[in-house]
């Protein structure tokens, strides 16, 4: 993401102009947008024209509109963002108050105006515009006949391809069909890696499976790379890391990222940091339950006691449409930071973010034990 212009007043009202440069920037933009914001961007509008003879025709024209945001729709797989709202600025093609849908485009700037820019949103802009955040990880989670090719970016976990090949069982005295099918499977996974992973960006490619599938695949991969003289694979051999997983399904990615060897290798990536923080929380919950709280009411009480050391909170909570509820979460984040605590905002498109959402989206590791808070209703916890 590129920051073109930023104009925030003392009362925290103002606007920023940004240019999304890659698909992941659409996810950041989705988290920046709220109902009631003003969005100005280039779009295509179908307009009707009437000629001097009275015949009516239609054409598509590119124009710049300013909408009051009403609906935000994000497609996580295609990384497409559509914003629907009413036109609030005079335009020769679109009447005031008319509805329009803008699909934000890569490398085309947009201006977002808010009545209040809170600390969480401003931090999101800093994160999106920081080149150091682009430490991406790729993973191939596989078993015989099934492979999920996944890209783990700082903001989301994206399934890039799924390879499925039927592998016949080995028969007594003949393994030919089994071996041929396995080779077809490995070839398809290899082509998937070359097609979907950018070796210029990816720092590490994890290859995980139960048993020896991962080892056999790596052996096949580099044997074929030599045979086909595939320089891109040979030059990036050091980026491949073989690890164990219990299955070839996408959910096994969490256990892969929890592996101490993987954590050490990926220590500078946001995804690995989130997984480790969640693991630390669960360990604390087992060993010292008085130092591990979850649920908004409990964590707020701990924050008031200045006890929060690490706050774990899901970005899903900051997309709440009720302003008062959203402000409550922002206030919690600000209080923890002011009192010297660390805040980790989890992406709801990461495996770890899914788990945190099961804990109502907010949890905390405390500096010191405090007595459990009074009984709360299940809705609060």
């Amino acid at each position: 993401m590129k920051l073109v212009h930023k104009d925030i007043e003392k009362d925290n009202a103002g606007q920023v102009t940004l240019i999304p440069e890659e698909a992941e920037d659409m996810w950041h933009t989705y988290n920046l947008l709220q109902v009631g914001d003003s969005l100005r961007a280039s779009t295509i509008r179908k307009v009707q024209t009437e000629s001097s003879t009275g015949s009516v025709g239609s054409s598509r024209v590119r124009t710049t509109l300013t909408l009051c945001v009403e609906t935000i729709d994000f497609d996580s797989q295609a990384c497409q963002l559509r914003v629907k709202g009413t036109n609030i600025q005079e335009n020769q093609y679109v009447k005031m108050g008319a509805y329009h849908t803008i699909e934000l485009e890569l490398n085309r700037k947009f201006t977002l105006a808010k009545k209040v820019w809170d600390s969480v949103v401003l931090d999101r802009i800093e994160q999106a515009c920081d080149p150091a955040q682009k430490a991406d990880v790729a993973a191939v989670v596989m078993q015989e006949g099934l492979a999920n090719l996944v890209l783990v970016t700082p903001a989301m976990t994206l399934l890039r391809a799924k390879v499925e090949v039927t592998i016949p069982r080995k028969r007594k005295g003949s393994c030919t069909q089994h071996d041929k099918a396995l080779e077809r499977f490995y070839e398809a996974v290899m082509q998937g890696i070359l097609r979907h992973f950018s070796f210029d960006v990816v720092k590490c490619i994890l290859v995980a499976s139960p048993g020896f599938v991962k080892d056999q695949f790596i052996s096949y991969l580099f044997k074929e790379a030599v045979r086909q003289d595939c320089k891109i694979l040979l030059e990036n051999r050091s980026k491949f890391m073989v690890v164990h997983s219990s299955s070839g399904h996408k959910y096994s990615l969490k256990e892969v990222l929890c592996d101490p060897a993987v954590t050490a290798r990926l220590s500078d990536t946001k995804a690995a940091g989130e997984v480790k923080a969640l693991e630390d929380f669960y360990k604390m919950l087992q060993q010292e339950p008085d130092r591990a709280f979850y649920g908004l009411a409990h964590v707020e009480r701990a924050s008031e006691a200045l006890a929060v050391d690490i706050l774990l909170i899901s970005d899903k909570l900051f997309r709440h449409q009720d302003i008062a509820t959203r402000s409550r979460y922002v206030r919690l984040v600000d209080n923890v930071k002011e009192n010297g605590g660390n805040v980790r905002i989890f992406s709801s498109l990461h495996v770890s973010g899914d788990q945190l959402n099961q804990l109502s989206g907010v949890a905390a590791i405390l500096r010191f034990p405090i007595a459990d808070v009074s009984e709360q209703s299940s809705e609060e916890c």
Side-chain angles (χ1 to χ4, degrees):
M1 187 91 83
K2 185 178 180 181
L3 179 62
V4 178
H5 179 71
K6 183 178 176 183
D7 181 20
I8 310 291
E9 303 292 335
K10 286 183 179 178
D11 61 354
N12 288 331
Q15 62 183 34
V16 296
T17 301
L18 298 160
I19 300 176
E21 296 177 310
E22 55 189 29
E24 187 183 346
D25 291 337
M26 293 302 177
W27 171 249
H28 288 301
T29 306
Y30 174 55
N31 282 280
L32 294 174
L33 284 165
Q34 288 173 263
V35 173
D37 289 349
S38 165
L39 176 70
R40 182 174 177 80
S42 172
T43 184
I44 293 174
R45 178 80 173 186
K46 188 178 180 181
V47 295
Q48 287 192 331
T49 53
E50 188 174 341
S51 68
S52 55
T53 60
S55 61
V56 177
S58 65
S59 60
R60 293 165 67 83
V61 296
R62 183 168 284 280
T63 184
T64 300
L65 290 180
T66 305
L67 302 184
C68 178
V69 177
E70 289 191 12
T71 309
I72 308 156
D73 179 34
F74 180 70
D75 181 345
S76 60
Q77 287 306 311
C79 284
Q80 290 180 330
L81 181 60
R82 294 180 185 87
V83 182
K84 184 181 178 182
T86 52
N87 183 35
I88 57 172
Q89 209 167 85
E90 201 170 321
N91 184 281
Q92 61 176 317
Y93 301 113
V94 185
K95 292 178 182 178
M96 292 280 283
Y99 277 94
H100 186 79
T101 299
I102 292 178
E103 185 171 316
L104 293 179
E105 300 174 47
L106 292 179
N107 301 309
R108 201 176 282 278
K109 71 178 181 180
F110 66 87
T111 299
L112 179 62
K114 289 177 178 284
K115 292 175 183 175
V116 178
W117 287 86
D118 58 54
S119 60
V120 172
V121 174
L122 292 172
D123 284 349
R124 169 74 65 171
I125 291 176
E126 267 188 50
Q127 178 191 334
C129 297
D130 180 8
Q133 294 285 345
K134 309 300 179 195
D136 289 342
V137 180
V140 181
V141 188
M142 63 196 307
Q143 62 191 44
E144 275 200 6
L146 171 68
N148 286 284
L149 278 65
V150 179
L151 192 62
V152 185
T153 73
M156 62 180 84
T157 303
L158 287 172
L159 179 64
R160 276 302 182 216
K162 188 174 186 178
V163 179
E164 289 182 284
V165 174
T166 304
I167 310 289
R169 291 185 180 180
K170 290 182 180 179
R171 299 181 182 276
K172 282 186 180 180
S174 175
C175 301
T176 309
Q177 293 301 316
H178 175 272
D179 293 345
K180 281 183 179 177
L182 208 53
E183 194 166 309
R184 282 200 313 274
F185 170 60
Y186 290 155
E187 174 63 21
V189 177
M190 176 181 169
Q191 293 306 320
I193 289 173
L194 292 170
R195 191 178 303 117
H196 296 288
F197 294 163
S198 171
F199 288 91
D200 294 334
V201 179
V202 170
K203 283 190 170 183
C204 178
I205 300 173
L206 305 171
V207 179
S209 80
F212 297 104
V213 177
K214 56 188 181 296
D215 305 288
Q216 291 167 359
F217 171 67
I218 287 291
S219 174
Y220 172 88
L221 182 69
F222 290 107
K223 187 178 170 183
E224 279 298 299
V226 171
R227 189 180 70 80
Q228 297 178 21
D229 193 25
C230 183
K231 290 180 180 177
I232 194 165
L233 284 175
L234 297 172
E235 288 169 1
N236 289 278
R237 186 167 189 159
S238 61
K239 291 184 179 181
F240 285 82
M241 184 178 183
V242 177
V243 276
H244 173 78
S245 69
S246 57
S247 79
H249 296 281
K250 187 184 168 185
Y251 62 77
S252 294
L253 187 60
K254 180 190 169 288
E255 66 182 85
V256 171
L257 292 172
C258 287
D259 188 301
V262 174
T263 307
R265 177 83 176 260
L266 309 181
S267 57
D268 60 341
T269 67
K270 183 175 183 285
E274 289 181 5
V275 170
K276 186 179 183 305
L278 198 59
E279 284 297 302
D280 290 345
F281 171 77
Y282 280 122
K283 281 180 189 173
M284 191 66 75
L285 194 62
Q286 287 179 338
Q287 296 166 7
E288 295 183 68
D290 286 347
R291 287 184 57 199
F293 280 14
Y294 62 92
L296 180 58
H298 289 252
V299 174
E300 279 182 327
R301 191 71 61 88
S303 178
E304 287 166 12
L306 311 183
V308 176
D309 184 28
I310 302 173
L311 175 68
L312 288 63
I313 189 163
S314 170
D315 60 11
K316 184 180 178 183
L317 302 178
F318 300 109
R319 296 195 295 274
H320 205 290
Q321 295 205 1
D322 181 54
I323 295 172
T325 305
R326 190 181 189 284
S327 298
R328 193 174 168 187
Y329 292 120
V330 173
R331 206 160 45 243
L332 174 62
V333 168
D334 290 342
N335 288 343
V336 170
K337 284 182 179 177
E338 284 169 14
N339 295 309
N342 293 316
V343 176
R344 283 198 169 274
I345 298 179
F346 281 56
S347 170
S348 50
L349 286 188
H350 273 159
V351 185
S352 51
D354 283 341
Q355 279 204 303
L356 185 61
N357 285 329
Q358 290 171 18
L359 298 173
S360 76
V362 59
I365 299 173
L366 310 190
R367 295 189 181 97
F368 49 83
I370 61 174
D372 198 2
V373 295
S374 58
E375 286 279 317
Q376 305 290 338
S377 71
S378 59
E379 286 137 17
E380 289 179 296
C381 304

